[in-house]
């Protein structure tokens, strides 16, 4: 009888393409066998009644990152990776951000050191390019891509990091030559600045005015423009954190005419709204992120983008700043004007439970689509497929077993990040991962975080494999109706 380190018995194994009742045999951190009844196993995990899925991949999160507000996000690679693992995620790809005037390679080196020996799950870095000099684009970037850092991120707003259109074109051209995707934060900077100036002049400083300073038109214009620039260059892009119906329309139109543009969204645009920024006192600051959560009616447009395939990836954009903290949301004071509140919300641990509960449980998406959005598509986009993003013989045993019947009331007390609040406090969630394995090691099991800092490896990623996940045609294949 073959030996297995771990056997997962009796679950429903879900990948992006199929749902099968079978056991999973794991040896040396790798899926070694999928079969109806696997004998043995040093550790046997009973998954009966459970859903066995590839561990989530969070390709957009900010960990130990110096933000454009000059403050570092609250989680380091240990708290961030533990929190991600406890929510069903087994790979994180935060950013290594280049500051203007700095070498990109040095930025990556600094983040490599920050992460070294700390993460409990595998990780990589996406490269924020804020100063695209010829040395960066012609020497540093090719070297870093060859070493497995195969995605670039650019900003169209935020003074500290934004690029002008000429610089954007240069980055897109370099990315196209290197065969990597450019992730884009798309908002019109001048429209934000213009709106902000007027709001502040009228004394409209409360957190809720952040939403008005970042109107949907600012997102629509920048999304339209980045698509046009990418189309001109022939480069592939992923528009990040799509929040507004207007921006999603631009992506949908571009995809329909065959432009290689991918869409991403995040939990905050499905379950938060501008009303949250209007909570009493400074409470609204907890929800300030960019783009902002829109009006509640907009949420269904984001769902539509998820269901019809315009949106291919669901990441957290975890950018946690503690609320009651001089190094967090209150860095410019207890009552700072909206434009001086660090932008970002936490979400590493709550990302997948929110998608599972609001998407699968409420019948909006099927389990295969859940897997596709949370794991398989990110694995393809970030050059990790099929080592990660699926459960097949030879893939890493990065696996989460979900109990679809478990009801959890979200509360900061039960989460594992380094935050002092969750924007989702009190929210009822149906379905939670009960066991999570990272390359066959238990990192979360029945309420206990078991990951070992340093066990996570820095991943050497390959080229993106996105050809088959583009476009609306992809959605219409039953993934929304397979609620087995
Ligand atoms: O508000 C957000 N999203 N903060 C994180 C930085 C970014 O925009 O990606
Ligand atoms: Zn962004
Ligand atoms: Zn972000």
């Amino acid at each position: 009888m073959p030996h297995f380190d771990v056997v997962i018995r009796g679950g429903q194994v879900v990948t992006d393409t199929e749902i099968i009742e079978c056991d999973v045999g794991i040896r040396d951190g790798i899926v070694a066998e999928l079969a109806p009844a696997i004998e043995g196993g040093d550790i046997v995990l009973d998954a009966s009644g459970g859903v066995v899925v590839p561990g989530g991949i969070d390709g957009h999160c900010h960990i130990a990152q110096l933000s454009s507000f000059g403050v570092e996000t609250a989680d380091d690679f240990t708290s961030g990776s533990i929190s991600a693992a406890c929510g069903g995620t087994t790979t994180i790809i935060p950013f290594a951000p280049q500051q203007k005037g700095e070498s990109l390679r040095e930025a990556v080196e600094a983040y490599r050191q920050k992460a070294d020996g700390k993460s409990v799950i595998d990780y990589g870095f996406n490269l924020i390019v804020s100063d695209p000099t010829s040395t960066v684009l012609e020497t540093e970037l090719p070297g870093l891509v060859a070493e497995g850092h195969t995605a670039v991120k650019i900003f169209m707003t935020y003074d500290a990091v934004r690029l002008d259109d000429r610089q954007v074109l240069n980055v897109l051209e370099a990315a196209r030559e290197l065969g990597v995707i450019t992730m884009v934060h798309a908002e019109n900077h001048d429209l934000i600045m213009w709106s902000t100036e007027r709001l502040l002049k009228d004394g409209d400083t409360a957190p809720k005015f952040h939403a008005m300073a970042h109107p949907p038109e600012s997102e629509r214009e920048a999304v339209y423009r980045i698509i046009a620039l990418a189309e001109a260059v022939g480069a592939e892009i992923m528009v990040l954190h799509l929040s507004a119906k207007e921006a999603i329309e631009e992506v949908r139109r571009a995809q329909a005419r065959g432009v290689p543009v991918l869409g991403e969204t995040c939990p905050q645009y499905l379950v938060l709204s501008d009303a949250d920024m209007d909570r009493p006192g400074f409470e609204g600051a907890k929800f300030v992120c960019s783009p902002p959560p829109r009006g509640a009616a907009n949420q269904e447009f984001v769902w539509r983008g998820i269901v019809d395939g315009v949106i291919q990836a669901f990441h957290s954009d975890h950018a946690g700043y503690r609320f009651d903290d001089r190094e967090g949301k209150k860095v410019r004071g207890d009552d700072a004007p909206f434009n001086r509140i660090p932008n970002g919300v936490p979400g590493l641990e709550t990302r997948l439970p929110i998608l599972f509960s609001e998407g699968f449980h409420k019948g909006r998406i099927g389990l295969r689509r859940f897997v596709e959005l949370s794991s398989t598509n990110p694995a393809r986009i970030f050059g990790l497929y099929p080592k990660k993003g699926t459960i097949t013989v030879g893939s890493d045993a990065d696996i989460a077993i979900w109990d679809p019947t478990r009801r959890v009331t979200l509360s900061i007390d039960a989460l594992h990040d380094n935050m002092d609040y969750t924007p989702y406090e009190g929210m009822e969630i149906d379905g939670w991962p009960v066991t999570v394995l990272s390359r066959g090691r238990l990192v979360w099991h029945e309420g206990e975080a078991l990951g070992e800092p340093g066990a996570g490896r820095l991943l050497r990623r390959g080229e993106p494999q996105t050809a088959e996940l583009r476009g609306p045609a992809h959605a219409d294949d039953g993934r929304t109706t397979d609620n087995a």
Side-chain angles (χ1 to χ4, degrees):
M1 190 171 72
H3 168 263
F4 296 105
D5 303 318
V6 182
V7 172
I8 301 173
R9 211 162 272 161
Q12 193 180 43
V13 176
V14 182
T15 66
D16 62 324
T17 54
E18 58 187 355
I19 301 180
I20 42 173
E21 308 274 342
C22 73
D23 296 352
V24 183
I26 296 166
R27 193 180 307 118
D28 298 330
I30 305 284
V31 175
E33 190 173 345
L34 293 166
I38 299 179
E39 296 293 316
D42 295 348
I43 298 174
V44 176
L45 300 168
D46 177 13
S48 37
V51 175
V52 180
V53 298
I57 296 175
D58 195 341
H60 178 179
C61 48
H62 305 262
I63 295 182
Q65 189 191 318
L66 187 64
S67 73
S68 42
F69 284 76
V71 204
E72 188 156 313
T73 52
D75 284 290
D76 68 5
F77 280 80
T78 298
S79 64
S81 63
I82 289 173
S83 180
C86 298
T89 289
T90 50
T91 300
I92 45 173
I93 316 179
F95 296 102
Q98 178 202 24
Q99 309 300 324
K100 285 195 196 293
E102 188 190 39
S103 122
L104 183 60
R105 177 163 285 287
E106 280 169 22
V108 173
E109 202 37 55
Y111 274 77
R112 191 198 282 269
Q113 281 170 27
K114 274 193 188 199
D116 193 37
K118 292 203 140 180
S119 185
V120 305
I121 54 177
D122 291 350
Y123 62 98
F125 299 115
N126 289 324
L127 311 175
I128 291 178
V129 176
S130 66
D131 198 357
T133 60
S134 53
T135 308
V136 167
L137 297 185
E138 289 160 25
T139 309
E140 294 188 335
L141 190 56
L144 291 163
V145 168
E147 288 164 29
H149 306 290
T150 52
V152 163
K153 177 182 179 187
I154 57 173
F155 286 86
M156 298 169 81
T157 186
Y158 292 133
D159 278 322
V161 283
R162 77 192 174 98
L163 305 184
D164 63 30
D165 288 351
R166 182 72 166 269
Q167 292 173 311
V168 168
L169 288 162
N170 287 337
V171 173
L172 291 173
E173 182 182 37
R176 181 201 63 203
E177 290 303 303
L178 294 166
V180 299
I181 286 191
T182 302
M183 308 161 73
V184 187
H185 179 126
E187 290 184 283
N188 180 305
H189 183 73
D190 284 313
L191 179 46
I192 294 168
M193 292 299 115
W194 180 86
S195 310
T196 300
E197 204 174 273
R198 272 150 189 76
L199 287 161
L200 295 180
K201 206 191 278 171
D202 291 346
D204 294 334
T205 59
K208 71 173 177 184
F209 292 105
H210 175 74
M212 282 160 239
H214 293 245
E217 292 79 7
S218 128
E219 196 180 345
R220 184 205 279 283
E221 188 282 330
V223 170
Y224 171 82
R225 181 159 36 106
I226 192 65
I227 288 169
L229 299 179
E231 203 172 357
V233 171
E236 181 163 27
I237 56 170
M238 176 160 66
V239 183
L240 298 178
H241 38 48
L242 284 164
S243 74
K245 163 179 165 274
E246 292 82 350
I248 295 168
E249 272 170 14
E250 295 303 326
V251 176
R252 181 179 281 112
R253 272 217 309 242
Q255 289 173 346
R257 64 176 192 276
V259 182
V261 50
L262 303 172
E264 177 223 60
T265 197
C266 317
Q268 46 272 36
Y269 306 113
L270 298 179
V271 296
L272 299 179
S273 77
D274 52 5
D276 289 304
M277 280 177 284
D278 194 15
R279 295 201 192 182
F282 199 57
E283 282 286 299
K286 292 178 174 175
F287 306 89
V288 166
C289 60
S290 290
R294 309 289 178 184
N298 183 77
Q299 291 166 355
E300 280 311 316
F301 291 99
V302 185
W303 277 115
R304 194 175 300 167
I306 286 180
V307 168
D308 69 12
V310 172
I311 289 167
Q312 290 82 13
F314 189 77
H315 299 135
S316 69
D317 193 11
H318 175 93
Y321 300 97
R322 292 166 65 86
F323 177 64
D324 206 5
D325 196 319
R326 289 272 165 240
E327 294 299 309
K329 291 282 185 183
K330 296 185 175 172
V331 65
R332 304 280 184 264
D334 290 3
D335 206 10
F338 67 83
N339 64 323
R340 292 170 68 75
I341 300 169
N343 285 195
V345 292
L348 282 167
E349 193 166 348
T350 47
R351 170 182 75 120
L352 298 185
I354 288 173
L355 184 64
F356 194 93
S357 186
E358 294 290 312
F360 169 63
H361 248 277
K362 294 201 172 162
R364 291 171 166 126
I365 59 171
L367 285 172
R368 290 184 297 144
R369 184 74 177 136
F370 170 79
V371 166
E372 197 172 54
L373 288 160
S374 63
S375 182
T376 314
N377 285 356
R380 290 186 191 278
I381 292 165
F382 295 110
L384 292 168
Y385 188 85
K387 233 10 217 167
K388 300 196 185 285
T390 190
I391 300 176
T392 190
V393 171
S395 65
D396 283 353
D398 286 3
I399 294 175
I401 305 172
W402 286 68
D403 176 353
T405 64
R406 187 156 305 191
R407 176 163 272 222
V408 172
T409 304
L410 288 179
S411 157
I412 185 60
D413 300 334
L415 299 177
H416 298 80
D417 59 15
N418 192 25
M419 293 294 296
D420 60 353
Y421 81 95
T422 167
Y424 311 107
E425 188 72 38
M427 186 177 167
E428 299 285 353
I429 296 285
D430 283 311
W432 199 270
V434 283
T435 301
V436 179
L437 299 159
S438 165
R439 279 186 285 102
R441 289 168 292 113
L442 286 167
V443 287
W444 170 246
H445 187 52
E446 290 300 351
E448 258 192 280
L450 301 170
E452 268 173 57
R457 291 184 191 149
L458 175 59
L459 298 165
R460 190 182 182 106
R461 297 183 278 133
E463 285 191 1
Q465 307 154 50
T466 52
E468 68 171 81
L469 55 85
R470 274 189 228 127
H474 191 62
D476 194 24
D477 64 355
R479 279 171 172 75
T480 54
T481 51
D482 63 7
N483 294 351

